[in-house]
Amino acid sequence: MSEAMKNIVETTLDDMKGVDIKVFDVSKIVKYADWVVIVTGTSSTHLKAMAGKLEVAMKGQGHLAIGTEGVDSGNWVLQDYGDVVVHIMTKDAREFYQLEKLFI
């Protein structure tokens, strides 16, 4: 199931022109998820659009978000789908927090 969810996330973010999509298999290093996806958006509007489209795509396949944070902040949206956690970030936020370093 988590592989299928990860594929929906990856495809949707790619369709929405997400920049530098990185997918990490974290199943052996954390207990809260199997996959972490990090993507950069080009503006706060782009982040919100990607988050909205992803929510619709996942819901269409029967996957509801456990939680969503940061939509109004405009620089980092976190969507938790249980097996898949998605970080949609501006370039500046992604460079500052460097989440990728946690998973490599």
Side-chain angles (χ1 to χ4, degrees), residues 35-102:
W35 301 95
V36 170
V37 179
I38 303 172
V39 62
T40 300
T42 57
S43 67
S44 61
T45 303
H46 189 209
L47 265 66
K48 291 175 186 180
M50 282 193 289
K53 182 73 169 186
L54 181 56
E55 186 175 358
V56 169
M58 293 293 277
K59 188 175 183 180
Q61 295 297 313
H63 308 295
L64 299 178
I66 294 169
T68 299
E69 299 288 335
V71 174
D72 293 331
S73 76
N75 65 359
W76 182 354
V77 177
L78 170 69
Q79 291 179 299
D80 183 352
Y81 290 97
D83 291 341
V84 182
V85 176
V86 183
H87 298 273
I88 306 171
M89 308 173 84
T90 61
K91 181 180 178 186
D92 290 342
R94 191 165 176 178
E95 289 174 356
F96 181 79
Y97 291 103
Q98 299 182 16
L99 294 182
E100 287 93 336
K101 289 185 176 182
L102 296 173

